[in-house]
Amino acid sequence: TVIAEHYVDEPPSLHDYHAVVFKEDNSIDREFEGSQQFLAILNMYYEESYQNARSNTHRSIIRSTILSDVKSHNFSFMKKSSSQRGRFFTVETDYLLSRIEEMFSLEDRSKSSHAYSA
């Protein structure tokens, strides 16, 4: 499948609290203030509700709620282009939901490995 890339005209500022940037390898770029804010929001949701949600449906609802919440606060989501150096393109909702799911999955594994190492 080919995904249309919609490039942003102006690259995000490192100090923009609303610009969440993903690297070419799909990891979040912590250099950007918005990325740090987004990670803090994810951590809050994980600690307060996600880690205790047992059903896939409940977890899916929480991921969608997070996305709706941050979008309502004017966060923008983009990814660094691997083909056009210095350019950024906007990312779709499905991409964001999969990134949130993966980050939470890594957090789950991290928490469960700590539980067994105690």
Side-chain angles (χ1 to χ4, degrees):
T1 55
V2 176
I3 298 172
E5 295 180 351
H6 301 283
Y7 286 93
V8 295
D9 295 328
E10 292 289 321
S13 163
L14 290 174
H15 306 292
D16 182 346
Y17 280 95
H18 295 98
V20 179
V21 177
F22 293 90
K23 298 179 186 178
E24 296 92 335
D25 67 358
N26 295 321
S27 64
I28 198 158
D29 191 333
R30 294 171 187 262
E31 283 189 68
F32 290 84
E33 292 285 339
S35 296
Q36 292 176 33
Q37 293 291 322
F38 183 61
L39 287 170
I41 291 166
L42 288 179
N43 186 55
M44 179 194 71
Y45 271 101
Y46 183 85
E47 295 292 331
E48 291 183 5
S49 58
Y50 195 85
Q51 68 180 342
N52 299 315
R54 295 293 166 234
S55 75
N56 289 337
T57 302
H58 189 194
R59 286 181 163 216
S60 177
I61 291 167
I62 293 169
R63 290 190 301 270
S64 295
T65 300
I66 293 167
L67 201 50
S68 176
D69 185 21
V70 293
K71 283 185 173 183
S72 74
H73 287 91
N74 296 318
F75 276 77
S76 59
F77 299 89
M78 57 201 84
K79 185 175 176 182
K80 291 180 178 177
S81 173
S82 55
S83 61
Q84 297 188 33
R85 189 164 176 76
R87 302 274 325 261
F88 297 80
F89 59 91
T90 57
V91 293
E92 302 296 322
T93 298
D94 288 346
Y95 174 84
L96 293 170
L97 289 170
S98 71
R99 296 294 97 219
I100 294 169
E101 183 174 19
E102 183 172 303
M103 286 184 251
F104 282 163
S105 175
L106 292 171
E107 191 67 28
D108 278 343
R109 278 183 253 149
S110 169
K111 297 275 188 216
S112 64
S113 69
H114 290 299
Y116 295 119
S117 64

